[in-house]
Amino acid sequence: MARLEMRRRCTWRIFQSIEYSGEQDHLKLNSFFDYLMKNFTPRSNRDKEFLHRILSEPENLNESRIDRAFAYQSVVVPDSYMGPRLSFPLFPDDAAALLEAFKQKQQLHAHYVLRLFHEARKHLSQLPNINNVSTCYSEEITVCGDLHGQLADLFLIFYKNGLPSPQKAYVFNGDFVDRGKYSMEILIILFVFLLIYPKEVHLNRGNHEDYIVNLRYGLNKEIARKYKEHSGKILKLLQNVFSCLPLATLVDQKVLIVHGGISDTTDLDRLAKIDRRQILSVLTQKRKLTRSFDPVDVESGKSSPKPVDSLNKADISKRVQEELDTCRTRAGSSEYTELRASATSFPTGSDMSLSSNELLASIDDEEIQQVLDILWSDPIPQEGCKVNEDRGGGCYFGPNVTEAFLQKHNLQFIIRSHECKPEGYDICHDRKVITVFSASNYYTVGSNRGAYVKMGRDLIPHFIQYQASKTSRRLTMTQRISRVEVSAYQVLKEKIFAHRSDLTTAFRRYDKKNTGLITLNEWANAVESVLQLGLPWRMLRPQLVLHLTNGKLEYKTWLKDIVTEQRSAVQERLQSSLLENIYRNLSSLETIFNIIDTDHSGLISLEEFHQTWKLFSAHMNIDISDESINDLARSIDFNKDGNIDFNEFIEAFRLVSQST
């Protein structure tokens, strides 16, 4: 049992470390966008407008403008449509019919989706930042954690616990979307029940109810796939819906339910006063206050920021890292400063400037910090509060921070989510912080149970665990751990594969005599120096290093075996270095493509492609001339329709890497 537990913990560390590493990569890319916003000097108004469009935070529209921009009446339901329908006001029978339709893999038409999201936004916008819930009116309150697009888990919760009703209240604690395949279905179900039972169903915002996060983790792609020509309207409306979600729920003034956690500066009174509807994303708020994109006035001799294309790669890399460090400090420290441009530095007139009303409505840094902390933070057993460097956002808070917060606000305990737990829930800080995570099999089949928490009037938490996968339920513990272990090491090998060039360089530093051999300790140190996952590499060695020569590792052979194992038939046709470059940057490439594709059509124009290459070539470490970009754009537009889809976009990076 001890050996099994050790194996389980090792696989868990692998999955969690790689997940948090991906979040760091995403924040690093976002920091690079912030750097471009501050330092890139467009040469023309066209470049200026392009940069503003793809990097500035979207506008949060008022009710009348929402009605005009996303009018569901303009989306016609054809006579041939055989899926579920919604009529407003909604009733319990509508929810039951919708659940049955989703079980049959049917899809709700865009007309009803837009109407539903519009009605949900109107309701949510009227709610306070911190919802107050009483157990006096319901027999019990059920708290669900992250669902992450896993519809089977939501169905199982309703099967085991019952549907929302006047006697059965629910609090869904954020992260409804991303990663899973059914984010839209979960949102639709939750919003339907919210409108039917507005006093019994409560939704908190999570860190994934954020359009910047959605660019990377799947919601954008899912909506584009399911709703095609209407995906742009749905996504833009959803950005505004997410901003209206309450930030926390308070049960009987004694139990705080919040998605991430707290920090040593979290203040409920201050949180209650923030205009949350202005915060479409906590990751891009500072872009609302940036300098003008006016071209350089060479004749005046006035100093101006250096264009990105004139900076060398070392300078770019250094500045991006500085931006990342600033982002981490901002995300985890209560004491930070940030230069803010004055109102006079904005473009005026036709230059797509922010209006004075928007400037007045801007949220200040400390308010953003308050929201960021409750969405992104995690508890730790050590005392104190420090930057959450693993995620790159929020903070780590210790038992003393929890105790001080509870005493200040006269609370008994905190229920939070945000972290996947092997058993679906976890209790820490002297039973004063409860973590509940409702997406079972989150990393792979058998990796974890899901759970939810039930409370009656006595506010004593009761935990219900489940496993949505029938396959996993039939496995013994040994079989389940073995299966999960295989998946974990496969993910880790993919990470090694994507960094094999850097690993080769690191290994050679230890191989002074060029023997091709290094010790296991040197191997472990080199791998950690490159991947920076904080894993116990010597413990993982038996699964990763199968052959030794006189107690040492032949690192060239080891890397060759990793490469051979990872390549598929499609991958083999690419040059090794090209494959590694694309493989390592795939998530960033997809995020960049989604940002440029502002209408969410799945296509970008040749002109946008050209402008994008000039902006981001430094970030991808690829040099290319204007003429080459134009030739490249024409060559990858295979169907010659004047647009480029994502597969063609990826092909561009492959071809450019091949030529350099």
Side-chain angles (χ1 to χ4, degrees):
M1 290 299 294
R3 291 193 185 97
L4 281 176
E5 177 62 15
M6 187 59 67
R7 289 168 58 191
R8 185 192 68 78
R9 291 189 183 189
C10 283
T11 58
W12 193 260
R13 283 283 300 276
I14 292 171
F15 280 127
Q16 196 168 63
S17 295
I18 291 177
E19 177 189 5
Y20 291 174
S21 175
E23 290 179 348
Q24 280 191 24
D25 288 344
H26 187 65
L27 289 176
K28 185 173 182 178
L29 183 61
N30 188 65
S31 296
F32 177 73
F33 295 154
D34 288 338
Y35 171 70
L36 285 179
M37 197 75 171
K38 293 177 182 177
N39 295 277
F40 184 79
T41 304
R43 297 184 177 86
S44 65
N45 285 335
R46 185 183 65 178
D47 288 346
K48 181 194 309 181
E49 292 176 0
F50 173 74
L51 187 66
H52 190 283
R53 177 166 57 84
I54 68 171
L55 295 184
S56 297
E57 178 164 287
E59 186 180 3
N60 200 336
L61 305 178
N62 58 33
E63 200 67 43
S64 61
R65 295 180 67 184
I66 285 279
D67 290 339
R68 294 195 301 271
F70 309 115
Y72 56 87
Q73 298 92 336
S74 62
V75 180
V76 179
V77 181
D79 295 336
S80 59
Y81 173 70
M82 302 299 291
R85 297 173 183 267
L86 297 178
S87 58
F88 295 82
L90 295 168
F91 294 98
D93 287 346
D94 296 308
L98 188 67
L99 291 174
E100 186 58 35
F102 286 162
K103 289 177 182 178
Q104 302 302 320
K105 307 298 183 184
Q106 295 181 340
Q107 182 173 300
L108 186 65
H109 193 274
H111 170 88
Y112 301 112
V113 172
L114 287 168
R115 176 75 187 275
L116 175 66
F117 287 2
H118 183 69
E119 296 296 330
R121 183 188 180 279
K122 286 198 295 186
H123 171 74
L124 290 168
S125 64
Q126 301 302 313
L127 299 178
N129 289 351
I130 302 174
N131 242 336
N132 284 284
V133 180
S134 174
T135 56
C136 296
Y137 306 107
S138 300
E139 295 177 1
E140 59 188 16
I141 292 177
T142 300
V143 183
C144 299
D146 301 38
L147 287 166
H148 278 303
Q150 297 187 188
L151 188 58
D153 289 295
L154 183 59
F155 281 152
L156 187 55
I157 292 170
F158 286 161
Y159 173 77
K160 292 173 69 70
N161 195 57
L163 296 176
S165 70
Q167 295 74 38
K168 198 174 293 293
Y170 275 87
V171 178
F172 293 93
N173 197 24
D175 278 14
F176 321 122
V177 301
D178 283 336
R179 301 189 188 278
K181 297 180 180 179
Y182 300 100
S183 295
M184 279 297 290
E185 284 77 5
I186 286 179
L187 285 175
I188 290 167
I189 291 171
L190 295 185
F191 288 157
V192 164
F193 277 116
L194 174 72
L195 295 177
I196 295 173
Y197 301 112
K199 295 182 179 180
E200 289 78 31
V201 175
H202 310 279
L203 309 180
N204 284 347
R205 186 174 186 175
N207 66 305
H208 276 261
E209 279 69 59
D210 185 309
Y211 79 96
I212 286 292
V213 179
N214 302 149
L215 286 168
R216 186 183 187 101
Y217 290 105
L219 178 62
N220 283 42
K221 184 188 294 186
E222 178 184 332
I223 294 177
R225 183 180 73 251
K226 292 179 179 178
Y227 290 97
K228 297 180 175 62
E229 69 268 24
H230 303 300
S231 61
K233 280 188 175 182
I234 293 173
L235 276 167
K236 290 177 181 177
L237 178 56
L238 203 50
Q239 291 173 3
N240 285 269
V241 175
F242 285 166
S243 71
C244 294
L245 287 167
L247 303 175
T249 299
L250 201 55
V251 180
D252 290 346
Q253 298 294 313
K254 290 296 181 183
V255 179
L256 178 68
I257 305 172
V258 67
H259 179 73
I262 59 172
S263 73
D264 54 2
T265 61
T266 299
D267 186 285
L268 295 186
D269 294 330
R270 188 161 192 177
L271 273 170
K273 298 174 183 177
I274 294 172
D275 186 1
R276 69 181 188 277
R277 292 168 295 181
Q278 294 294 326
I279 307 175
L280 294 181
S281 172
V282 294
L283 302 180
T284 62
Q285 190 68 20
K286 61 183 176 180
R287 291 187 197 159
K288 281 191 173 183
L289 293 174
T290 55
R291 68 172 182 83
S292 168
F293 290 125
D294 293 336
V296 179
D297 186 355
V298 179
E299 295 181 0
S300 69
K302 293 181 179 179
S303 61
S304 61
K306 210 186 314 182
V308 166
D309 4 15
S310 69
L311 295 171
N312 58 46
K313 293 178 182 177
D315 192 16
I316 283 284
S317 177
K318 178 181 178 182
R319 292 301 298 274
V320 170
Q321 189 58 49
E322 288 173 355
E323 284 292 316
L324 177 59
D325 293 339
T326 300
C327 180
R328 284 177 175 167
T329 302
R330 170 186 169 84
S333 171
S334 62
E335 297 179 1
Y336 60 88
T337 57
E338 183 179 325
L339 295 176
R340 303 170 68 88
S342 64
T344 57
S345 68
F346 286 92
T348 57
S350 61
D351 290 339
M352 301 181 66
S353 65
L354 296 173
S355 69
S356 58
N357 288 335
E358 289 172 316
L359 285 173
L360 291 172
S362 294
I363 310 296
D364 68 39
D365 288 342
E366 293 184 0
E367 290 176 326
I368 289 296
Q369 184 69 38
Q370 290 280 322
V371 177
L372 193 105
D373 284 342
I374 65 170
L375 297 185
W376 281 85
S377 297
D378 297 309
I380 54 172
Q382 297 81 15
E383 300 286 303
C385 187
K386 63 180 183 178
V387 175
N388 191 333
E389 292 186 348
D390 289 333
R391 290 188 188 271
C395 70
Y396 284 124
F397 62 98
N400 61 322
V401 176
T402 297
E403 182 63 31
F405 177 82
L406 294 179
Q407 288 185 7
K408 176 182 178 181
H409 295 285
N410 194 27
L411 301 173
Q412 292 182 7
F413 59 91
I414 298 169
I415 297 179
R416 43 91 63 178
S417 302
H418 194 44
E419 283 184 286
C420 182
K421 297 295 181 180
E423 297 303 318
Y425 74 94
D426 185 62
I427 304 173
C428 64
H429 292 187
D430 195 24
R431 304 187 67 83
K432 293 177 180 177
V433 172
I434 294 172
T435 298
V436 58
F437 195 88
S438 299
S440 64
N441 309 297
Y442 178 63
Y443 293 121
T444 187
V445 175
S447 64
N448 66 285
R449 295 179 180 180
Y452 54 89
V453 182
K454 299 172 68 173
M455 293 185 298
R457 295 179 182 178
D458 56 9
L459 298 181
I460 296 175
H462 301 275
F463 304 96
I464 292 83
Q465 299 168 288
Y466 54 86
Q467 181 63 261
S469 169
K470 294 180 180 179
T471 302
S472 181
R473 290 200 295 265
R474 290 193 292 264
L475 298 175
T476 65
M477 179 182 291
T478 302
Q479 291 172 328
R480 185 166 62 251
I481 290 175
S482 297
R483 178 173 291 196
V484 173
E485 197 173 47
V486 169
S487 297
Y489 283 105
Q490 176 63 27
V491 171
L492 187 55
K493 288 177 181 178
E494 290 174 0
K495 193 81 172 177
I496 292 170
F497 170 78
H499 292 81
R500 66 188 186 280
S501 295
D502 293 335
L503 286 169
T504 300
T505 301
F507 293 150
R508 284 174 177 166
R509 292 195 189 102
Y510 289 103
D511 185 19
K512 304 291 186 182
K513 298 180 180 180
N514 198 27
T515 63
L517 298 171
I518 56 174
T519 67
L520 289 178
N521 190 51
E522 291 169 341
W523 168 82
N525 291 336
V527 173
E528 177 58 28
S529 70
V530 172
L531 300 186
Q532 297 183 358
L533 295 176
L535 293 174
W537 293 103
R538 292 185 66 85
M539 292 180 62
L540 305 181
R541 192 271 305 171
Q543 296 290 336
L544 296 174
V545 179
L546 304 180
H547 305 289
L548 295 175
T549 302
N550 297 324
K552 292 189 174 184
L553 172 66
E554 294 184 18
Y555 59 86
K556 293 179 181 178
T557 302
W558 179 71
L559 285 172
K560 183 178 179 182
D561 291 341
I562 292 286
V563 171
T564 302
E565 184 177 339
Q566 294 304 312
R567 277 184 178 160
S568 65
V570 176
Q571 293 169 336
E572 286 175 356
R573 67 184 176 85
L574 299 176
Q575 288 185 15
S576 177
S577 60
L578 307 182
L579 181 58
E580 180 183 355
N581 190 28
I582 293 174
Y583 201 92
R584 183 187 303 182
N585 294 303
L586 188 60
S587 294
S588 293
L589 289 172
E590 187 167 3
T591 302
I592 290 170
F593 183 90
N594 288 334
I595 289 172
I596 305 162
D597 179 22
T598 52
D599 63 353
H600 310 290
S601 64
L603 300 170
I604 59 177
S605 69
L606 298 183
E607 182 180 352
E608 288 174 327
F609 177 81
H610 180 278
Q611 292 170 312
T612 302
W613 265 101
K614 297 304 295 180
L615 287 175
F616 299 122
S617 58
H619 182 62
M620 308 309 298
N621 287 323
I622 298 172
D623 292 323
I624 185 169
S625 66
D626 287 349
E627 184 178 355
S628 297
I629 293 176
N630 292 331
D631 291 340
L632 177 63
R634 288 189 291 268
S635 67
I636 65 172
D637 181 19
F638 299 126
N639 57 6
K640 305 304 178 187
D641 63 350
N643 293 302
I644 297 171
D645 62 23
F646 181 65
N647 290 331
E648 293 171 332
F649 189 68
I650 289 293
E651 182 73 2
F653 281 84
R654 187 183 76 81
L655 292 175
V656 171
S657 297
Q658 192 171 24
S659 65
T660 57

